[in-house]
């Protein structure tokens, strides 16, 4: 179970303990009550008994007893539960007894085993988490010593009463239960919650490979002052089974320095350790018979901490054999573990210490020199870093407590101070427990704010503690922090608790932000509260023009904030190409009245690539309109999209062409096509890039119907919208039938006429005449290269060149591009060709690519600028173009050639 704040505020704190010796049968503490500290700078207490009391004659004082007041009593009989034989028999009897008994038959005060896990051989891993431990070594050693001192102690004996039915909890640990100390020096930058501390434990388990050790407890110790205790949890433990099938427990000590009221951290550590051993999963191990959630240490929370024989402060445990909360080897007095310092037994004054004057404080406590020469001083300051210290003083050499005190002055009003005593001996330096006090003689103010705010009035105030002196107060207010107005003074009395202090403000301006503060005065001076603000209702709406969103080619979402100030408010947006606007959206009513709200309105029909101005305007019927600041945005430039004529149109296929200028925006494109202007079909998306020049685009479509007119257009899309090219159309051809009869059809595309064939038709088709290519020419034989793809055009163009030729029938046309490469000495020309045996200048021919398309009957033109495909284009040089045509009967024409030269662009 977890350990909470309310139960532990009574706990004190002590130092830790070294291990005890196995040579001595029983160790018991002879305790003497600590007498009240006298108000002197250093007064020696009554000396205690000798440290060697009770030792057998000639026996040496064991090293662990040095600096401690202990009494050895060899005559005391051995506790029978320490006997291994007795323990085994007892466990066997307990197993049979628990197996036969029902929970209802048990005493309500007894612990009961509910079938869950226990730790048979307890192991403890101390996880020191945070960089703060580097400056808290004494506390670190105290916690280590407390844990290591559990071996063989009476505390460990109580745990051995509780065993699972499958085996006992070991009463005789061979060594300290502390098997490892793990240091995680990472800086803790936020307040540690229970969840974060538990997660730290799980992570350390993973790093150390201890995930399957069901006998281990990982005790997470956040650096002092890093834990947040808002939920009042001082410590807790939980099983890590959710991470491993059978895993260790994670125990957490949240308040490691005891400053939050949880008591000594050694008590929290031993509390959670004991419960991890007897009930790791928090409910199915050993718990109270009358309740499933009271574990062996929870039962004893109200009794606070107790000391073991070695002086360690630990949690009390429920001892079934005695029906009481015990530590077994504790003594009712106090043990001086020294040298060290702890709180004095004096009753503190009203503010936690001995106030002498308004600006001074007397601090008193006790130190334990332990027969060593000791010196001490006091540290104090507004935090646990202190910052101030008194001069060092000497203390009387004594075994027991020595009262020490000092008076500090020049303190500030209304300030909390921390202090502690520091003791220095030949054994080292030891820090006392941190204490706190304050001197709240000036009135103390807690601001609370404004309430019942209206258009012309408001109730404002806070809480005030007069500090035991007759005090008056008033409230300053105004539109700035200079205030300018104040209420009449009123009495706050002279109490020492916080009481409400308020005033009604009237005659305020509507819709105005006001500042105010509470001011209190008594005989010692004036105290000013913190500045607070409120805003009266009404007035013109508050509006803010916010950045536009969802900007496209021709649309955008205008955004603004409206605060109606509790009045019905309408708003709209003004927008246009200048700050004169010229257009506005329809009015809408703001949804809320209590706070600003964000509103958005989409506008369309804008011009692409244009700068627009806009602002939000809000109006109520009482006070008028408010105008937001001018804002601007620019629509994105819409790509230029042009649908060109289709090329290479066949019987059932065609190449669709167009041009896209992305205008700097990433654009993709596709073609829509179909037998009507509603299209219905489309090609796949392709990238057009994000350049700023025209890019020719083309895609082939197949599966078309013969003799059909198709419409198509180029479409460009981006994240800012869609742009459509103009509609264009083309018609597919009709395949000619094979004719062996005297009846046939003419082969003019698109016209079918039954009737007898003329002798010319019979000659050219029935008799198998080849197609004819003639009148081949080019617009220029020398031109510059360009990136455009070749396309058929009815119009002349100045880009590149234009090849033209005529066909006597519709046929498939093939362009072959042959580069003519001249060289000297590269090859030898045959003698018969040149008439001599000399090496002559020869010309090599290299095929560089080809184009194929369907040519129509009559004149055909091909606009060409050097590019054969999207990937390939002709390099500058001299070329020969070979033109051939093949008709539907697979008859080929004679070759026709043209020669041209491409120069560097």
């Amino acid at each position: 179970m977890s350990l909470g704040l309310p139960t532990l505020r009574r706990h004190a704190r002590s130092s830790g303990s070294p291990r005890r010796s196995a040579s001595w049968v029983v160790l018991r503490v002879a305790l003497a009550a600590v007498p009240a500290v006298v108000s002197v700078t250093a007064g020696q207490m009554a000396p205690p008994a000798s440290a060697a009391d009770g030792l057998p004659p000639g026996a040496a004082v064991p090293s662990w007893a040095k600096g401690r007041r202990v009494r050895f009593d060899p005559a005391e009989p051995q506790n029978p539960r320490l006997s291994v034989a007795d323990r085994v028999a007892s466990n066997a009897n307990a197993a049979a007894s628990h197996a036969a008994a029902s929970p209802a038959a048990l005493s309500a005060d007894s612990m009961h085993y509910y079938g869950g896990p226990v730790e048979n051989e307890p192991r403890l891993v101390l996880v020191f988490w945070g960089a703060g431990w580097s400056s808290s070594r004494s506390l670190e050693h105290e916690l280590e010593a407390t844990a290591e001192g559990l071996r063989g102690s009476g505390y460990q004996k109580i745990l051995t009463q509780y065993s699972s039915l499958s085996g006992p909890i070991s009463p005789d640990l061979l060594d300290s239960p502390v098997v490892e100390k793990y240091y995680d020096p990472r800086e803790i930058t936020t307040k540690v919650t229970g969840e974060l501390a538990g997660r730290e434990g799980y992570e350390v388990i993973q790093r150390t490979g201890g995930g399957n050790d069901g006998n281990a407890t990982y005790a997470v110790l956040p650096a002092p002052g890093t834990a947040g205790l808002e939920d009042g949890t001082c410590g807790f433990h939980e099983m890590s089974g959710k991470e491993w099938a059978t895993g260790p427990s994670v125990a957490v000590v949240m308040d490691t320095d005891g400053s939050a009221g949880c008591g000594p951290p050694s008590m929290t550590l031993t509390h959670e350790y004991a419960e991890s051993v007897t009930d790791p999963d928090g409910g199915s191990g050993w718990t109270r018979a009358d309740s499933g959630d009271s574990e062996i240490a929870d039962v004893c929370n109200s009794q606070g901490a107790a000391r073991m024989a070695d002086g360690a402060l630990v949690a009390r445990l429920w001892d079934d054999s005695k029906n009481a909360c015990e530590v077994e080897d504790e003594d009712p007095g106090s043990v001086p573990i020294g040298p060290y310092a702890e709180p004095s037994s004096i009753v503190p004054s009203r503010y936690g210490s001995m106030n002498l004057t308004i600006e001074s404080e007397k601090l008193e406590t006790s130190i334990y020199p332990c027969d060593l020469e000791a010196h001490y001083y006091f540290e104090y300051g507004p935090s646990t870093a202190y910052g101030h210290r008194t001069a060092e003083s000497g203390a009387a050499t004594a075994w027991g407590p020595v009262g020490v005190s000092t008076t500090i002055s020049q303190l500030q009003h209304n300030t909390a101070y921390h202090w502690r005593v520091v003791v220095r001996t030949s054994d080292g330096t030891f820090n006392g427990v941190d204490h706190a006090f304050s001197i709240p003689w000036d009135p103390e103010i807690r601001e609370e704010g404004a309430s019942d705010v209206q258009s012309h009035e408001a109730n404002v105030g806070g809480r005030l503690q007069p500090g035991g002196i007759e005090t008056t107060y008033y409230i300053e207010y105004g539109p700035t922090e200079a205030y300018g107005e104040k209420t009449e003074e009123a009495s706050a009395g002279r109490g020492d608790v916080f009481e409400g202090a308020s005033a009604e403000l009237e005659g305020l301006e509507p819709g105005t932000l006001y500042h105010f503060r509470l001011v209190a005065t008594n005989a010692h001076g004036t105290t000013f509260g913190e500045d607070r603000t409120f805003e009266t209702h009404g007035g013109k709406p508050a509006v803010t023009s916010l950045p536009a969103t969802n900007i496209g080619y021709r649309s955008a979402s205008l955004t603004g904030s409206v605060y109606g100030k509790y009045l019905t408010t309408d708003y709209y947006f003004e927008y246009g190409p200048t700050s004169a606007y010229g257009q506005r959206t329809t009015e809408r009513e703001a949804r809320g009245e209590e706070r600003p709200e964000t509103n958005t309105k989409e506008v369309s029909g804008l011009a692409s690539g244009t700068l627009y101005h806009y602002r939000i305007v809000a109006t109520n019927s009482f006070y008028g309109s408010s105008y937001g600041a001018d804002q601007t945005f620019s629509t994105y430039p819409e790509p230029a999209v042009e649908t060109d004529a289709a090329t290479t149109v066949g019987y059932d296929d065609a190449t669709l062409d167009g041009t896209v200028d992305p205008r700097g925006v990433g654009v993709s494109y596709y073609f829509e096509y179909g037998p009507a202007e509603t299209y219905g079909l489309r090609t796949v998306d392709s990238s057009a890039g994000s350049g700023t020049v025209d890019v020719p685009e083309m895609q082939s479509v197949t599966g078309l119907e013969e003799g059909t007119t198709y419409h198509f257009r180029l479409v460009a899309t981006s994240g800012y919208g869609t742009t459509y090219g103009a509609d264009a159309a083309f018609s597919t051809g009709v395949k000619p039938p094979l004719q062996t009869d005297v009846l046939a059809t003419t082969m003019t595309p698109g016209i079918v006429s039954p009737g007898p064939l003329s002798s010319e038709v019979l000659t050219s088709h029935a008799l198998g005449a080849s197609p004819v290519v003639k009148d081949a020419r080019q617009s220029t034989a020398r031109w510059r290269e360009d990136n455009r793809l070749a396309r058929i055009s009815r119009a002349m163009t100045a880009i590149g060149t234009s090849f033209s030729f005529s066909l006597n029938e519709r046929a498939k046309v093939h362009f072959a591009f042959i580069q003519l490469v001249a060289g000297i000495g590269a090859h030898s020309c045959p003698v018969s060709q040149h008439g001599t045996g000399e090496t002559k200048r020869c010309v090599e021919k290299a095929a560089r690519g080809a184009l194929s398309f369907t040519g129509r009957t009559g004149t055909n033109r091909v606009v060409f600028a050097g590019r054969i495909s999207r990937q390939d284009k002709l390099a500058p040089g001299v070329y020969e173009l070979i033109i051939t045509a093949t008709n539907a009967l697979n008859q080929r024409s004679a070759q026709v050639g043209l020669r041209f030269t491409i120069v560097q662009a």
Side-chain angles (χ1 to χ4, degrees), residues 447-451 453 458-461 476-481 483 505 512-517 530-536:
E447 300 290 354
E448 288 192 343
S451 62
V453 178
N459 186 282
V460 297
E476 293 182 312
Y477 65 98
T480 68
E481 291 187 51
Y483 307 107
L505 308 183
T512 302
L513 180 69
Y514 280 90
H515 294 257
F516 74 95
R517 68 179 176 184
E530 294 182 8
D531 180 75
R532 299 281 193 231
T533 61
F534 67 90
E535 188 175 4
T536 52

Side-chain angles (χ1 to χ4, degrees), residues 683-864:
T683 64
V684 297
D685 284 338
S686 297
S687 174
S690 58
T692 56
V693 297
D694 286 343
V695 179
E697 308 293 357
M698 59 188 298
Q699 287 184 333
S700 297
V701 293
T702 59
L704 306 179
E705 296 290 333
E706 295 183 46
T708 303
T709 298
Y710 282 87
H711 291 263
F712 73 99
R713 66 179 176 184
L714 179 59
V715 182
T717 64
S718 74
Y720 308 112
T722 302
T723 305
Y724 300 91
D727 180 76
F730 66 90
S731 295
T732 55
V734 178
K735 292 180 181 179
L738 291 176
Q739 184 65 42
T740 60
D741 204 330
V742 294
L743 294 178
T745 60
T746 64
M747 296 180 61
T748 303
I751 302 175
V752 179
S753 301
L757 294 176
S758 66
S759 59
E760 181 182 351
V761 172
L762 287 172
T763 301
S764 65
H765 296 288
L767 300 181
S770 300
V772 177
V773 178
K774 60 181 181 179
D775 298 329
R777 62 174 58 88
Q778 53 190 335
S779 61
T780 178
R782 184 179 178 85
W783 41 271
R784 293 183 183 275
E785 62 179 334
D786 192 73
N787 283 329
R788 292 175 180 265
L789 292 172
R791 67 182 189 274
I792 294 179
S793 174
R794 296 182 183 274
M796 295 293 291
T797 177
I799 297 176
T801 188
S802 292
F803 301 118
S804 62
F805 59 92
S806 61
L807 291 173
N808 66 329
E809 63 175 310
R810 183 180 181 89
K812 196 75 170 182
V813 178
H814 183 79
F815 278 12
F817 295 94
I818 309 299
Q819 187 172 11
L820 306 179
V821 182
I824 298 177
H827 297 280
S828 296
C829 297
V831 174
S832 60
Q833 179 179 344
H834 301 289
T836 70
E838 297 177 359
T839 301
K840 298 292 186 179
R841 180 182 180 89
C842 301
V843 176
E844 298 179 14
K845 295 184 178 183
R848 298 304 187 193
L851 288 174
S852 294
F853 54 90
T854 301
R856 61 174 63 86
T857 303
T859 300
N860 293 265
R861 284 194 180 86
V862 177
V863 178
F864 188 68

Side-chain angles (χ1 to χ4, degrees), residues 587-725:
E587 286 191 359
R588 288 185 175 182
E589 184 175 333
R591 293 188 303 274
E593 297 178 350
E594 297 183 4
R595 59 185 61 86
E597 63 180 43
T598 300
N599 299 277
T600 301
K601 177 65 176 176
E602 185 173 351
V603 293
S604 57
L606 307 178
S608 68
T610 302
L611 177 70
Y612 279 88
H613 294 255
Y614 71 96
R615 68 181 177 185
I616 190 169
V617 183
T619 305
N620 63 45
S621 57
F622 292 95
Y623 299 99
S625 299
S626 296
Y627 298 87
D630 180 73
Q631 290 266 27
T632 61
F633 68 92
S634 292
T635 55
Y636 288 93
E638 192 168 12
V641 178
E642 180 182 343
T643 307
D644 295 332
T647 59
T648 62
V649 179
Y651 302 120
D652 58 0
D653 61 355
T655 300
L656 310 182
D657 292 85
T659 303
V660 177
D661 179 357
R663 294 185 175 172
V665 175
V667 170
S668 62
Y669 74 91
Y670 60 88
F671 288 91
E672 292 181 318
Y673 66 98
E677 292 188 42
T678 54
Y679 309 108
L681 300 172
R682 57 169 285 179
T683 64
V684 297
D685 284 338
S686 297
S687 174
S690 58
T692 56
V693 297
D694 286 343
V695 179
E697 308 293 357
M698 59 188 298
Q699 287 184 333
S700 297
V701 293
T702 59
L704 306 179
E705 296 290 333
E706 295 183 46
T708 303
T709 298
Y710 282 87
H711 291 263
F712 73 99
R713 66 179 176 184
L714 179 59
V715 182
T717 64
S718 74
Y720 308 112
T722 302
T723 305
Y724 300 91

Side-chain angles (χ1 to χ4, degrees), residues 209-261:
N212 292 318
D213 189 352
N215 284 320
T217 298
Y218 281 71
V220 179
L221 305 164
T226 60
L229 285 87
E230 289 79 7
D231 63 352
T233 301
C234 296
F236 65 92
H237 72 94
E238 57 187 12
M239 200 169 187
S240 61
K242 62 183 178 182
E243 301 288 334
W244 297 275
T246 57
S249 292
V250 173
V252 175
V253 178
M254 296 292 286
D255 184 19
T256 47
D257 59 359
S259 62

Side-chain angles (χ1 to χ4, degrees), residues 461-544:
R463 297 177 64 79
L464 176 65
Q465 177 186 244
I469 298 176
E470 187 64 39
T471 301
T472 61
Y473 72 90
Y474 61 87
I475 293 174
E476 293 182 312
Y477 65 98
T480 68
E481 291 187 51
Y483 307 107
E485 303 283 343
K486 59 180 286 187
T487 63
E488 294 184 1
E489 288 193 7
S491 173
R494 56 185 304 153
D496 57 2
V497 296
F498 282 95
E499 301 286 354
S502 63
E504 189 75 25
L505 308 183
E506 298 178 340
L508 306 177
E509 290 295 323
T512 302
L513 180 69
Y514 280 90
H515 294 257
F516 74 95
R517 68 179 176 184
L518 181 61
V519 182
T521 303
N522 64 22
H524 296 288
T526 298
T527 299
F528 298 92
E530 294 182 8
D531 180 75
R532 299 281 193 231
T533 61
F534 67 90
E535 188 175 4
T536 52
H537 297 178
K540 292 183 179 182
V543 294
T544 304

